[in-house]
Amino acid sequence: MSKPNEYSPQSEPNKDAEHTSHRGSSHRSSSGSSSHGSTHHSSHSGSSHSSSSSHSSSSSHSSSSSHSSSSSHSSSSSHSSSSHHSSDSRHHDGSRNESADMERRDTLIQKYQIVSEDDVPQPDEHKRRQHRHSRRFSRRRRIRRILITLVSIPLALILIAASVFGVLNVLGKRQLKAQTGGVQTNPFSVTYDEGKTVEYNGQTYALNENIAAVAAIGIDRESFGLEEDKIGTAGQADLILIVAMDMKSGLVTPLMIPRDTMVDVDQYTTDGQYVGVDRMQICLSFAYGDGAATSSRNVLTSAQRVLYGIPIYMYGVLDLDGITALNDAVGGVSVTLQEDFNGAHVGDRITLHGYEAEAFVRSRDSEKMDSDTPRRARQVQYLHGFIDKVSSAALRDMSVIRQLYSTAMEYAFTNVSLSKVTYMATTLFSKGVSFADVQTIAGTLQPGDPYAEYIADEQAVFETVLNTFYTPV
C-alpha cells in the first residue's frame, strides 16, 4: 500500500484506461457542440424561406406596406427564435465544459497523485507512525541484545575453559616431580652419581630427566577398602602398567609387569604393623595395605624393585566398574579377535561395549597355569585400541582428557591431580605425542606352590630399563 504524497507503481497499469476515458469525454463534448450548431442553422433557413414566400404573395395581391409589415414580423420572429436557440446552446456548452474540466482534473489527480488537503497526514496519524517506528526500533534493539548474549555466552565459556586449562597447566608443571634417581647397584653395570650415569657393555648411558613415570593399576574388586578392617583383604592387582612419558620428545612407553611376577613384597599385620618382606607374586602387594593409599604405595615399591630401583612417584588405581565406564566414555573400543569371544570368532573385528570390555580384559581359565598369558595379550590389545581412541579424540578436543579424568575418579584412587594430568597431556600433544608398543618385561612362567610364578629375566629387564629411562651418550 503506497503512502500519500508518493507515486505508486500500482496505479501504472490504469494509465491507458484513464487516458481512454479522457479521450472519450472530449469526443462527446465536441459532438454535442457540432449537433447544436446544425440545429440552429436549420431553424434560421426555415425562417428566411417563410419570409420570402410572404413577400411574394403580398407583392401579387397587396401593397408594399403589407410587404414591409410581413417582412418585419417575420424578421423579428426569426431573430427571437435564433436568440433563444443560441442561449440554450451556450448553457449546454458551459455545463459540458465544466464536466469535462472536472473529469480532466480527476484524471490528473489519479495519474500523478496530486495531493489534496484531505490527503495531508493529520497530527494523530503522524504520532501513530512515530509510535510504530519506535516499536520497530525497540524490537530490533531487543533482537540485537539477544544475539549478542547468544554469542557472548559461548565465548565466555571458552575463555573460562581456556583460563582453567592454563591454570591447570601451570600448577601441573610445578607439581610434577622430575626423574631424580636412577638404577640401583646391580651385577650388570657400573653406576655413578646415584645411578644417573651407567656404563653397560662398553656404552655410557645418562638418565633422561625429562621422563615422568606413573603406575596404572587395575584391581579385582568393585570397590576400595578392607573387609572387616583386616589387612590382606583389599584385593589384588590384576594389571600393573608402568607408563614412561618423555615430556620433551612426546614419546610414551608402557611397560607391563605380569601379575604373577615374583618380587619382594612388604608385609603388614591385620592392624597395619610392618612385619617384614616376603617373596611372592606382585599382585599380592596391593592386598597388604588399606585398600587405597598404602596399598597403592606398596605396589609402587614392589614395581621399583622389579625395575632396579627406578623411582615411580605417581599412581592411579581403577576398580572393576571403572573399566566399563571408561570404555563407554570413549564410545567403545574396537579389537580384532585373536581367540573366540562372546560368540565371535578369531579374526572378527568387534567393538566392545558395556560389560564386554571388562570380560575381555579380565576373563581367564584359572584351571590352566598359563591362563594369565592369553589374558595379558588381550589386555595389551585392548590398551592399544583404547589409547588410539583417546589420542584421536584429544587431538580434536583436549577437554576429552578432563572429561575422562572426571569419569575415572568415580571408580579410581590416585595421587595424580587434574592439573598434573592436564599439564602432561597438553605437553605430550604439543610435542606430537607418539606411543610405543606395550612391552612386557621378559621372563618365564613356571609352576608354583600353589600358584604360577613368573620369573623375570633380570638382565633383559635391566636392558629394558636402560632403553626406556636412559639415553646413550
Side-chain angles (χ1 to χ4, degrees):
M1 177 176 181
S2 62
K3 295 181 181 179
N5 306 328
E6 294 180 357
Y7 172 71
S8 172
Q10 294 176 357
S11 64
E12 193 69 18
N14 295 328
K15 284 175 59 179
D16 291 341
E18 291 167 357
H19 186 61
T20 302
S21 175
H22 178 62
R23 287 201 307 269
S25 175
S26 299
H27 179 70
R28 284 194 302 272
S29 176
S30 177
S31 298
S33 178
S34 176
S35 175
H36 180 72
S38 177
T39 303
H40 172 71
H41 179 72
S42 176
S43 175
H44 182 71
S45 297
S47 178
S48 298
H49 177 73
S50 175
S51 177
S52 178
S53 298
S54 176
H55 173 72
S56 185
S57 175
S58 186
S59 295
S60 303
H61 298 289
S62 61
S63 63
S64 61
S65 62
S66 177
H67 166 73
S68 289
S69 175
S70 177
S71 294
S72 180
H73 177 72
S74 177
S75 176
S76 176
S77 175
S78 175
H79 176 72
S80 175
S81 174
S82 176
S83 298
H84 176 70
H85 283 291
S86 178
S87 176
D88 288 346
S89 176
R90 283 194 301 271
H91 175 71
H92 287 296
D93 284 347
S95 298
R96 288 189 175 92
N97 288 338
E98 184 178 355
S99 175
D101 287 341
M102 290 185 69
E103 286 189 25
R104 282 194 297 274
R105 178 177 178 274
D106 292 340
T107 300
L108 289 173
I109 289 173
Q110 292 176 7
K111 184 174 182 179
Y112 298 106
Q113 294 290 298
I114 298 174
V115 178
S116 65
E117 291 181 359
D118 294 338
D119 293 328
V120 176
Q122 299 303 311
D124 289 343
E125 176 65 18
H126 182 65
K127 289 180 181 178
R128 284 195 294 271
R129 289 180 182 178
Q130 283 185 328
H131 182 62
R132 286 196 297 271
H133 176 74
S134 177
R135 282 188 297 179
R136 286 196 297 270
F137 180 77
S138 179
R139 281 198 300 270
R140 287 195 295 267
R141 189 164 54 190
R142 285 197 299 271
I143 291 171
R144 281 198 299 270
R145 283 201 298 265
I146 292 171
L147 291 175
I148 291 171
T149 301
L150 291 175
V151 172
S152 298
I153 290 174
L155 286 176
L157 291 175
I158 291 172
L159 290 174
I160 291 171
S163 299
V164 171
F165 208 68
V167 170
L168 291 174
N169 253 337
V170 173
L171 292 175
K173 185 175 183 179
R174 291 176 182 174
Q175 295 169 2
L176 189 64
K177 197 170 184 179
Q179 198 75 26
T180 57
V183 295
Q184 298 169 341
T185 303
N186 62 83
F188 312 111
S189 67
V190 178
T191 61
Y192 305 93
D193 191 18
E194 297 181 346
K196 292 182 179 179
T197 303
V198 175
E199 289 183 3
Y200 176 71
N201 284 348
Q203 176 68 53
T204 301
Y205 296 84
L207 180 69
N208 185 352
E209 297 184 2
N210 296 308
I211 287 181
V214 59
I217 304 168
I219 64 171
D220 62 355
R221 294 276 301 275
E222 295 178 352
S223 61
F224 298 101
L226 302 176
E227 295 178 4
E228 300 178 354
D229 293 330
K230 293 181 179 180
I231 298 295
T233 61
Q236 300 179 12
D238 274 349
L239 173 71
I240 301 173
L241 191 71
I242 308 302
V243 183
M245 299 170 288
D246 191 330
M247 308 306 291
K248 186 176 181 179
S249 69
L251 177 63
V252 178
T253 304
L255 298 178
M256 179 176 285
I257 301 176
R259 70 185 300 276
D260 293 324
T261 300
M262 301 301 289
V263 66
D264 290 341
V265 175
D266 292 343
Q267 289 185 298
Y268 299 83
T269 63
T270 55
D271 59 357
Q273 298 298 315
Y274 176 72
V275 295
V277 175
D278 194 8
R279 191 167 179 82
M280 61 184 71
Q281 288 86 348
I282 193 173
C283 62
L284 299 175
S285 58
F286 190 82
Y288 290 101
D290 61 358
T294 61
S295 291
S296 301
R297 287 195 294 268
N298 209 22
V299 174
L300 292 187
T301 300
S302 297
Q304 290 175 23
R305 288 171 178 159
V306 173
L307 301 177
Y308 290 92
I310 284 290
I312 303 170
Y313 305 110
M314 297 179 287
Y315 62 83
V317 186
L318 189 70
D319 67 22
L320 288 176
D321 290 339
I323 299 172
T324 299
L326 288 177
N327 178 84
D328 291 349
V330 298
V333 174
S334 297
V335 294
T336 300
L337 296 181
Q338 298 173 351
E339 55 183 299
D340 292 349
F341 173 78
N342 200 26
H345 304 289
V346 176
D348 290 347
R349 186 159 183 82
I350 64 173
T351 300
L352 303 169
H353 294 286
Y355 179 73
E356 289 177 332
E358 179 187 333
F360 186 79
V361 300
R362 187 166 179 254
S363 62
R364 65 168 178 163
D365 185 355
S366 58
E367 297 296 323
K368 296 180 179 180
M369 182 190 72
D370 63 346
S371 61
D372 189 54
T373 301
R375 178 173 70 171
R376 195 166 59 246
R378 291 196 304 273
Q379 290 172 345
V380 170
Q381 187 182 16
Y382 180 85
L383 284 170
H384 283 152
F386 185 81
I387 290 170
D388 288 344
K389 200 71 176 286
V390 173
S391 59
S392 60
L395 283 172
R396 296 190 300 269
D397 181 7
M398 282 300 295
S399 67
V400 168
I401 303 297
R402 177 178 51 80
Q403 294 167 7
L404 286 176
Y405 182 90
S406 298
T407 300
M409 287 309 296
E410 298 181 24
Y411 311 93
F413 186 87
T414 183
N415 66 347
V416 185
S417 65
L418 177 59
S419 57
K420 284 183 182 179
V421 171
T422 301
Y423 170 72
M424 290 187 292
T426 53
T427 301
L428 290 171
F429 278 93
S430 70
K431 303 297 183 181
V433 64
S434 59
F435 295 89
D437 290 339
V438 178
Q439 300 180 53
T440 301
I441 64 168
T444 56
L445 186 67
Q446 64 184 31
D449 184 19
Y451 304 108
E453 299 175 353
Y454 188 84
I455 309 300
D457 184 331
E458 294 183 355
Q459 188 168 355
V461 171
F462 180 75
E463 291 176 353
T464 299
V465 170
L466 285 180
N467 293 333
T468 304
F469 294 93
Y470 286 78
T471 55
V473 294

